[in-house]
Structure formats: structure tokens, C-alpha cells
Amino acid sequence: MASTELATRPPESGDPRPTGGRLAIPRNAWRALTSMRTALILLFLLALAAMPGALLPQRSLNQQLVDQYFTDHPSIAPLLSRLGFFDVFAAPWFAAIYLLLMISLVGCVLPRTIEHAKTMRAAPVATPRNLGRLPHHGSATLDVGPEEAAERVRHRLRGWRKVETATGSGRTISAEKGYLREFGNLLFHLSLIGLLVGFGAGKLYGYGGQVIVLADGGQFCNTGILGYDSFQAGLRVDGTNLQPFCVRVNDFEASYLPDGQPESYHASIGYQTTDDLNAGRVDQWRPYPLEVNSPLRLDGSRVYLINHGYAPRFTVTFPDGQKRTGEIQWQPVDATTYLSQGATKFEPPGVTDEEKRRTSQLAITGLLAPTSSGGQVVTSVFPALRDPEVAVDVLRGDLGLDDGRGQSIFEVDQSKIDSGQLKQVARANLVPGQSITLDDGTIVTFDDVRQWVALQISHDPGQDTVLVFAVLMLIGLGLSLSIRRRRFWARLTPTADGTRTVVEIGGLARTDRAGYGEEFDRLRADLLDAPHTGAEVDGSGADGPNTAAKDG
Amino acid sequence: MLTEFALYSDRLFMAAVGVYVLAMVLHGAEYAVQRSAKGVLVGAGGPAVETDAPPPDAPPRDGSGPGRAERYGRMGVSLVVLGAVLQAASIVLRGLAAQRWPLGNMYEFTSAICLAAVVAWLVVLRRSPASRPMGLFVLLPVVILLFLGGTVLYAPAAPVMPALQSYWLVVHVTTVSIASGLLMVPGVASLLFLLRRSGKLEGFAERLPSADALDRLAYRITIIAFPLYTFAIMAGAIWAEAAWGRFWGWDPKETVAFVAWVIYAAYLHARATAGWRSGPAAWVNVAGFAAVIFNLFFINMVVSGLHSYAGLG
Ligand code: HEM
């Protein structure tokens, strides 16, 4: 294996210019930053710094887990939080590492690019005087004249860059191959920068959010942040410029294996593009079968099917005969049986007295089993909607809806129960059609269950850029790791009578990659051992007498 | 029919593990015989498996160790080949039984990684038979992983959930398994390299390939596996874009894949940095493989994320 220091050291590290004067400090700092060793250390730091992002819960992924961590580790959680360990990938120290790495990379790769551009135009290096000292070498005397021998070498070195030089009585041929390796290396590193830029663009101008839509005709229009249940905005997104489009969910179907494992999810949706909306085509919906792994792609935005669940419908008949119907999504709490929980909230109708209105609000909370076991305690045995049953508590009192604090749509405010402002007035298990009557004559009826789907809307203007640079990066990596940069020289010297030619060859691999030996052996066999020449051959091991004599 | 396929698949899996263990025993015997041959000369300590007639191509039979060691070694290798065939058959039958690409859960995934490692090892052996004494140490992690796969991680043949029904599963998971399996061989080679260089365990390390050969082996395989791993991560990102709504979200699995990738990038840099070329670089390679394994087990089993395949996402 022939590897050389020379080939792998970045060019500036061998720079002999004396340092001094006022620029010495910045220049040395720059040099240190762009050295290979610094790059190496920054790479380690990057790997190390990313680890907490995998080991600690992250706010961007799951706020609840972070809250849980605070409860479990009250002593260190606040410190970790202040240091950014729950937002590793947005932490300033993480950014500092990758930005330094990118600067180091530019500083390292740009000079190399210029260097390589020059090398591409330069002729292969002149033939060394003593080929016998190279890691690969050989010589033989061929039974042909110098012209034919040269032709033979030229022919064999097709595809190599080569140059011929006349020397005293003979000539030399220098050849080099594998320029694509350095090209690949540079392409790889420069693509990394492009990739980061595309990634950054997405973080600045992208946005995404989730919304739950009832699955029998519910609609969502991407016109503002308020339409979302949750929304993640890029740093430069204020929500006023979302790409307008609408979707309507016509139907949702899930199929399951007998053991309850989901087999397929399918939502039939209709959509209206920005153009449709602009052109006023608001009563037509373009159909699309939305499935997992198959999002709806509208120029620039995508709509995904990410979850589904159930929304029980209750009708409350107030003592004065007025009816109110409530239908809101409940949240799956068991991913295999789709046992769901939630809270459906009602305001008493037609009550003008503010105090009375506030203290006679109703909430129906509890569990919904899509396929009830039929037992005393409601449990679900299957995720599909076969025998739905709810186990509910009816609460009356002040739900706290007017407190100005946002509250979860899936539960009631526990503090209102604790303080006695909200009291349980009934508890029952109901199947569709059944009802209970409260002490004041109010009737609560469980009508039926509808399905909802959760949609994810994503908008990332940087992702195509990232893809392009990722592919370039992979090509660059492939080239730089599979191609060997290698040199080959031949010196042809005619014998005194001019009918035979002494051919000496030598080779050097310029990169840390074994394997040139085998290729060189083939070259030697083709050039020197050709049977019809009757050549006398000297192998790599022995210094040919001719070589020694000539260079002596 | 399908349940029979599933059953045969499981049996073949067990048979493969058994054969690998036997191969390890033979490689172990190869060591023991060599060692005793060196010390006491005549066959002490070697298992008493003697055939009546010497095989035609055996070296001169004077009862001394090296001839027998050679034989045990070769038998070990033959068994590894047999094990690989059995294991490949097990994986194919698994796919037929479940009627899908047989890489849908941790058990199948572990099996594929180990097969990739074993096949990579056999290719190495073919190209440089002198590496054979390393066999024991390549088989050790393979057998441990397969044992865990067949017990803790085992899952019966079944269809996969909707999120996994995508041809990107084939592209992403197959490449990531092959890359991980390939990386196992450099990981072992680098460890042995460090062991050899440390000078400890003299007599034992002596029979391994030379430090230089181990180092070269590690590098050669890493530069094949690393681009494949890169591709696998990219395929994962493309799949994530189609399944989860974003191509990269720092999910724990993605994060550790990134960490492993960066460590391997550091390895390649270390190979090109004076003072880091051999010893430190080998440590980095070992760290890289540790990250890959950590990602496979710890992240899948302890940390929950999108990759735990719970729920729709
Ligand atoms: C995000 C940061 C970086 C990553 C992920 C990265 C990755 C890689 C990889 C995978 C290789 C292997 C390709 C090959 O061997 O030809 C490589 C080679 C190389 N890198 Fe980087 N690199 C990074 C930053 C840098 C920096 C900052 C420098 C300069 C200080 C640098 C200088 C080099 C050089 C000179 C080589 C070629 C080594 C050789 O000739 O074998 N890289 N890099």
C-alpha cells in the first residue's frame, strides 16, 4: 500500500511563509481554524453536542415529555433548560459548532478548489530520475524500436493524462489519473454548504401545523394560523402569507387485522388549489385519496394524514325543551384499542343572567370505547367502531370558559372541580340512543359516534435545495472514496544499436487507498511481459541494472 | 402454507445460529491447537476429533498443531458459509410468510444486519484468506446479536402497519441494514487492531492478522459502507418527507444516525491527519460502530420516537 503524507495534507499547512507583523494573530487564527485538526475536533464536538438531543426529551418533539422530566428531576431540569438542553438543535452553542465547522470547511476547501483548478490544467509531474526508488517499479528490454515501444505505452495508457518529453537519447512519458477524486472531494464538501443553506431556508420560511377535521364533510382552509389546532412557524413566518388552499374530508376508512393491528387507512378528500380559489371555483372539489405515505402535494405545500379518532355526539335537552348538540373530537389514549377520552362542553341556552349562565354550564367527560367489551367498566377491545359505548360523568357548574385562560378541549379544568365550582351530577354508561336524566330534568342523550382525522400541513421552501445538494454530496462522496489518484512514469531508452528499447516504469499512488499495486502489476504485465517481445524483465523487488547505471 | 413458511423460517434461523456457534467452537479450537502446538509440540489440549485418514490436501501429518489448526479453521469457514445460506433462506421464507419485504421489525432487522456482516466477512476471507483467525471475533457479535434477536426482539411473522407500507421501507431499511452489517467488520477489525497494538494479551493477539492488515481492512470496508450508510440516511429522509411531513426532524433515531455519520466522517478525516492516522483513527471507527449499535438497540427500545412505530405516524 502506498500512501503519501503529501497527498492528504491540506495545502496551507505546508506554507513556509514567515508570520509576523500586525496580521499575525488573525492569520494564525485563520490558519488554525482551517486546519484539518480543527475540523476533526469540531466534528467530534458536533457529534457530542447532538447526543443530548437524542437522550433528553426535546420541546420541539414532545413538550409533555419535557414537563414530565421537570416533575421527575426538579433539581437539574431548570439548569438543563437554561443551558438549552431541551432545545439542543436551536441552542446557540450547537449553532456555534456547526457554523465554525462550515467556516473551517470553506477556508479549507476554497484554496483546495483553486489548487485543483490549476492542477487540472497542469501537465503531469516530470519523471523522477530514479524510478527504481518508487514503491512500484519495473523494467525490461523490449525487442522493438523506441518508436513502437512508445506507441505501445501510449496505447496502454489511454484515458490517462500524459505528457512526453524527449531526453538525451530517449524519451519519458509521465501520466496521471484519478483527478475526479479531488473533484469528488470538493463537490462533497461544497455540497454540504448548499445543504445547510437549504436547511436554513426551510427553518426561516417554512411552517407546519396540525388540524383535526371531522371525517364526514369537515373542511380546513389554509388561510391563517387560527385555522390550525397547533402551528409551528419558521422564524420569518408571521402567518399573514400562508399559501391559500382548502381541503374537505369526505370519508375515512380504516381496516384492521383480526388482532386489531391496523392494516390500512384511507381518507377520501377533496381539495381546492390557490388557483381554484382565486378563480372563484369554490363549489368544486378535486378528489384525492389521502393515505399514509401518500400526501397531497399542492405546489409548495403538502397535506398528510397523520392520525384519526372518534367524536361522540351528545344531545342535551334542557328543562325548557331547548336542545343543544355537541360533537367534538375525543383523544385516543390507547394506541391499540383506540379507547378515547374527552370532554364535550355546553352552555345553557337562553340564560341572560350572567352569574346563572356561568354556574350552570355542563360538561360530559369520560371514556369512549369504539368496541366495548360490554362489561361493567367500559373498556375497548378493538379499534374499529363496532359496538361503541361511553362511560361518562356529567359535570355542572363553572367550566372556567370565561377565565380568559386557554383550556384543553379534551378535559375540564381540574382546579374548578377541586374548588367545588364544578360538581359531578351524574355518571352512566351509555350506548348510542341511550340517555340519562339529571336532577333538574335535563336529558343527556348519546346519539352516535363520528370519525375525525388529524391532518398535518407542511410548507418547506428549502427542501428541494436540500435534496439536490444531498444527491451532489453523495456523488462527490462516491467519487472521492472510490477513485484513486495515481501516477505512472515510463522512461524509454534505445539500446546502442537502436533495435531494442529499455523500458523502465514506476508508479505512485497519491492517496491513502490501497490497491494501486494490483493495477500496477497489470500495467507492468501488459507493457513489459508481452510474450512476443522476448523481453528480459526486472520486477519491483530488484533494481534493474540499467536503471542503476543510468541514474548513477 | 404461510404459517408453515413462518415456522420453517424460525427453524432455519435457529439452525443458522447453531451453525455459527459451532463455527465459533472450531475457530476457537483452531486457536487452542495452534497455541498448544507452539508450546508443547504434540497435540495436547486440542479437542480429540481425529479422523482415521488424513484428508488428501492436509499438510504433512506429524501430529503437530498447525495442520490440525488449519483443518479446524477451514471447517469453521465452511460452517460460516452454511450458516449464511441457512440464514438467507430463513429471511426469504419470512418474507414469503408475511407476504412483504422481510424487514419490518427489530428481529428481522437484526437478522439482516448479521447476515450482511457475515457475507462481508466471507468476501474479505475470499480476498485475503490470511484474515481467517479474525473469524472468531467477527462471529462473536453476530451470535450475540442473533441471540438477542431470536429472544428479546422476536416477533411473529405478520403484516406491517400502514406507516411502513412503502417501497421506501425496502430502500431505506435494506440499505441501512447492509451498511450497518458491513460496518460491524471494521468495528471488530479496529478493536483487534487496538488490542494488537496495545501489546497486551501477547500470545493471543499474535495469531491475528498483522496490525497493518487489520487497519487496512477496517479502512477498506468503511469506505464502502460509509457512502451506503449516507445513502440510507438520505433515503430515510425522503421517506420521512412522505410519511411524517418533514424530511428531517431530529427524532432520536435521526439524531443518532447523524451522530454516527459525523463520527465516521471524523474517522475519514483522522485517516488524513498526521498523528491521527492509525491509533486514534481506530478508536474513532470503534466509536462509530458503537453509535450504530446504540441507535439500533437503545433508541429503539428505550427512547420513544417516531421510529418506535407506535400510532399512525
Ligand atoms: C461538516 C463537516 C465535514 C464533513 C461531514 C466532512 C466529511 C468528509 C468526508 C466523509 C470525507 C471523506 C472523503 C475522502 O476521504 O475523500 C472528507 C474528506 C476530507 N475533508 Fe472533510 N468534512 C467536513 C469538514 C471538513 C473541513 C472543515 C475540512 C478542512 C479543514 C475538511 C477537509 C477534508 C479533506 C482535506 C478531506 C480529504 C482527505 C483525503 O484526501 O483523503 N473537511 N470529509
Side-chain angles (χ1 to χ4, degrees):
Chain A
M1 172 175 120
S3 75
T4 51
E5 287 275 319
L6 190 129
T8 48
R9 199 185 296 145
E12 70 271 42
S13 62
D15 191 343
R17 263 177 301 166
T19 51
R22 230 179 320 149
L23 286 178
I25 292 175
R27 194 181 316 131
N28 287 343
W30 175 249
R31 223 170 264 172
L33 181 63
T34 58
S35 79
M36 214 43 178
R37 193 172 306 268
T38 309
L40 199 50
I41 289 165
L42 287 171
L43 281 171
F44 286 130
L45 278 180
L46 187 66
L48 194 67
M51 274 317 272
L55 298 179
L56 290 172
Q58 297 294 300
R59 290 214 170 84
S60 58
L61 294 178
N62 195 332
Q63 177 67 42
Q64 276 139 310
L65 285 180
V66 177
D67 296 341
Q68 185 62 40
Y69 194 89
F70 268 81
T71 320
D72 296 346
H73 308 272
S75 51
I76 59 164
L79 178 66
L80 290 177
S81 177
R82 219 169 311 130
L83 293 176
F85 277 95
F86 300 119
D87 285 299
V88 167
F89 303 104
W93 42 267
F94 191 77
I97 296 172
Y98 69 74
L99 288 178
L100 275 177
L101 192 58
M102 286 301 142
I103 295 171
S104 167
L105 190 150
V106 171
C108 177
V109 167
L110 279 188
R112 270 180 86 119
T113 310
I114 297 164
E115 184 96 341
H116 188 59
K118 285 191 202 140
T119 319
M120 292 289 276
R121 270 175 279 128
V125 176
T127 310
R129 278 174 6 121
N130 187 348
L131 289 175
R133 281 213 196 105
L134 291 172
H136 309 285
H137 58 96
S139 72
T141 307
L142 304 188
D143 271 343
V144 293
E147 201 40 62
E148 199 186 333
E151 186 46 40
R152 202 174 279 171
V153 175
R154 260 182 245 129
H155 183 76
R156 181 61 180 78
L157 291 179
R158 251 186 323 178
W160 291 62
R161 172 170 311 177
K162 46 192 177 297
V163 49
E164 281 184 49
T165 331
T167 61
S169 58
R171 70 184 87 190
T172 68
I173 298 175
S174 348
E176 180 154 355
K177 203 175 177 176
Y179 292 85
L180 270 181
R181 179 193 170 98
E182 180 69 358
F183 172 79
N185 187 25
L186 296 171
L187 178 66
F188 169 80
H189 284 87
L190 293 174
S191 302
L192 277 177
I193 300 170
L195 197 142
L196 190 72
V197 169
F199 199 81
K203 290 286 165 250
L204 288 178
Y205 300 104
Y207 59 82
Q210 291 84 33
V211 59
I212 286 179
V213 180
L214 287 176
D216 45 8
Q219 291 184 17
F220 166 78
C221 284
N222 191 39
T223 43
I225 294 179
L226 286 179
Y228 285 91
D229 295 335
S230 67
F231 189 76
Q232 298 90 38
L235 298 173
R236 288 296 173 80
V237 174
D238 59 9
T240 55
N241 267 322
L242 306 189
Q243 182 198 355
F245 63 86
C246 291
V247 291
R248 184 178 74 180
V249 181
N250 300 322
D251 187 25
F252 174 78
E253 259 173 69
S255 65
Y256 301 91
L257 298 176
D259 68 354
Q261 184 186 326
E263 198 177 32
S264 75
Y265 298 113
H266 178 98
S268 309
I269 64 167
Y271 65 96
Q272 292 168 341
T273 63
T274 309
D275 287 347
D276 292 341
L277 295 176
N278 289 343
R281 290 189 292 267
V282 291
D283 48 355
Q284 295 162 30
W285 296 89
R286 299 163 188 273
Y288 187 80
L290 188 65
E291 294 184 348
V292 181
N293 278 315
S294 161
L296 168 66
R297 294 177 187 276
L298 296 159
D299 33 23
S301 298
R302 290 109 54 202
V303 180
Y304 298 81
L305 175 62
I306 55 163
N307 206 346
H308 75 111
Y310 299 105
R313 187 167 69 182
F314 297 97
T315 298
V316 177
T317 311
F318 290 92
D320 61 1
Q322 294 208 63
K323 288 186 180 192
R324 287 289 178 272
T325 298
E327 178 178 47
I328 191 160
Q329 65 266 26
W330 284 20
Q331 179 185 31
V333 289
D334 184 319
T336 42
T337 66
Y338 266 72
L339 184 71
S340 306
Q341 83 178 16
T344 307
K345 300 168 189 176
F346 294 87
E347 296 252 7
V351 179
T352 42
D353 177 45
E354 189 57 27
E355 176 66 13
K356 181 147 191 292
R357 185 187 68 78
R358 197 146 48 78
T359 53
S360 57
Q361 291 167 332
L362 282 181
I364 303 167
T365 72
L367 295 172
L368 161 72
T371 301
S372 170
S373 65
Q376 211 53 40
V377 177
V378 170
T379 51
S380 177
V381 293
F382 200 75
L385 200 59
R386 290 182 177 166
D387 298 303
E389 184 172 14
V390 290
V392 292
D393 282 342
V394 182
L395 306 173
R396 188 166 54 212
D398 181 1
L399 291 170
L401 297 174
D402 306 308
D403 292 3
R405 278 186 295 137
Q407 60 170 264
S408 163
I409 58 166
F410 297 117
E411 51 193 24
V412 293
D413 184 348
Q414 184 63 33
S415 70
K416 294 288 179 188
I417 299 177
D418 297 343
S419 68
Q421 288 168 281
L422 197 54
K423 289 198 184 65
Q424 182 196 326
V425 290
R427 160 170 290 188
N429 294 354
L430 305 172
V431 297
Q434 286 185 331
S435 49
I436 29 169
T437 308
L438 308 185
D439 50 3
D440 64 354
T442 304
I443 302 168
V444 174
T445 312
F446 172 35
D447 301 327
D448 62 4
V449 181
R450 299 211 289 174
Q451 299 203 78
W452 54 261
V453 298
L455 302 179
Q456 155 96 29
I457 288 65
S458 301
H459 179 82
D460 183 346
Q463 74 174 23
D464 293 343
T465 312
V466 170
L467 181 61
V468 168
F469 281 108
V471 170
L472 289 177
M473 181 186 118
L474 192 61
I475 294 172
L477 189 63
L479 290 177
S480 79
L481 290 178
S482 63
I483 290 178
R484 276 159 287 137
R485 182 82 173 271
R486 54 239 194 252
R487 290 178 172 165
F488 182 84
W489 294 277
R491 173 173 288 119
L492 313 172
T493 318
T495 50
D497 61 2
T499 57
R500 305 172 79 207
T501 311
V502 177
V503 179
E504 304 156 61
I505 59 173
L508 178 68
R510 288 200 56 203
T511 42
D512 181 20
R513 171 75 156 83
Y516 184 38
E518 291 136 40
E519 184 186 7
F520 187 86
D521 288 344
R522 280 197 303 276
L523 275 165
R524 182 173 51 215
D526 291 349
L527 289 175
L528 305 186
D529 309 348
H532 55 275
T533 61
E536 307 143 21
V537 179
D538 285 301
S540 278
D543 271 2
N546 301 324
T547 326
K550 256 195 89 81
D551 288 312
Chain B
M1 183 72 163
L2 295 187
T3 49
E4 269 161 35
F5 281 165
L7 186 72
Y8 288 133
S9 165
D10 291 354
R11 295 227 172 114
L12 283 167
F13 179 86
M14 282 185 261
V17 178
V19 169
Y20 289 145
V21 170
L22 221 71
M24 277 180 73
V25 171
L26 281 165
H27 278 305
E30 180 185 4
Y31 262 87
V33 173
Q34 249 173 7
R35 162 165 251 153
S36 61
K38 212 176 157 215
V40 197
L41 253 176
V42 180
V49 196
E50 285 286 335
T51 47
D52 292 331
D57 59 341
R61 291 253 329 193
D62 54 285
S64 69
R68 269 203 294 158
E70 174 69 20
R71 238 178 324 131
Y72 289 144
R74 282 204 204 152
M75 280 159 67
V77 173
S78 311
L79 282 184
V80 176
V81 174
L82 175 65
V85 171
L86 294 174
Q87 207 193 338
S90 153
I91 292 177
V92 171
L93 280 184
R94 181 45 94 128
L96 292 175
Q99 298 194 290
R100 59 170 170 75
W101 194 250
L103 284 172
N105 53 47
M106 289 271 294
Y107 158 72
E108 294 167 3
F109 194 48
T110 311
S111 181
I113 289 179
C114 290
L115 182 61
V118 168
V119 171
W121 164 241
L122 288 173
V123 172
V124 167
L125 262 185
R126 207 179 156 84
R127 304 192 67 183
S128 72
S131 327
R132 197 181 62 211
M134 231 184 101
L136 181 59
F137 305 96
V138 175
L139 286 179
L140 187 66
V142 166
V143 166
I144 293 174
L145 285 182
L146 285 179
F147 179 76
L148 285 176
T151 53
V152 186
L153 307 176
Y154 181 78
V160 288
M161 50 187 303
L164 296 185
Q165 293 162 12
S166 161
Y167 52 84
W168 285 108
L169 172 105
V170 179
V171 179
H172 169 61
V173 187
T174 308
T175 48
V176 92
S177 321
I178 296 176
S180 308
L182 285 180
L183 287 170
M184 193 185 306
V185 181
V188 169
S190 290
L191 260 181
L192 294 177
F193 165 83
L194 290 167
L195 203 73
R196 249 211 107 117
R197 263 190 18 144
S198 72
K200 281 178 221 142
L201 299 169
E202 247 331 316
F204 157 85
E206 217 162 74
R207 275 176 288 276
L208 290 171
S210 71
D212 206 37
L214 288 167
D215 196 40
R216 207 161 47 222
L217 177 66
Y219 178 70
R220 280 188 160 191
I221 300 184
T222 306
I223 63 172
I224 295 168
F226 180 68
L228 190 64
Y229 190 61
T230 309
F231 172 80
I233 294 176
M234 286 179 190
I238 294 174
W239 186 13
E241 195 271 343
W244 296 331
R246 82 290 181 292
F247 67 90
W248 194 268
W250 298 110
D251 178 73
K253 193 98 190 175
E254 293 166 1
T255 303
V256 180
F258 170 79
V259 169
W261 190 83
V262 169
I263 296 177
Y264 280 109
Y267 169 73
L268 294 174
H269 278 104
R271 297 281 311 193
T273 307
W276 282 76
R277 191 153 304 151
S278 47
W283 279 114
V284 180
N285 197 309
V286 173
F289 185 63
V292 169
I293 288 292
F294 179 80
N295 205 8
L296 174 61
F297 285 93
F298 191 80
I299 296 295
N300 269 17
M301 299 168 73
V302 183
V303 182
S304 78
L306 289 173
H307 271 86
S308 44
Y309 309 133
L312 245 183

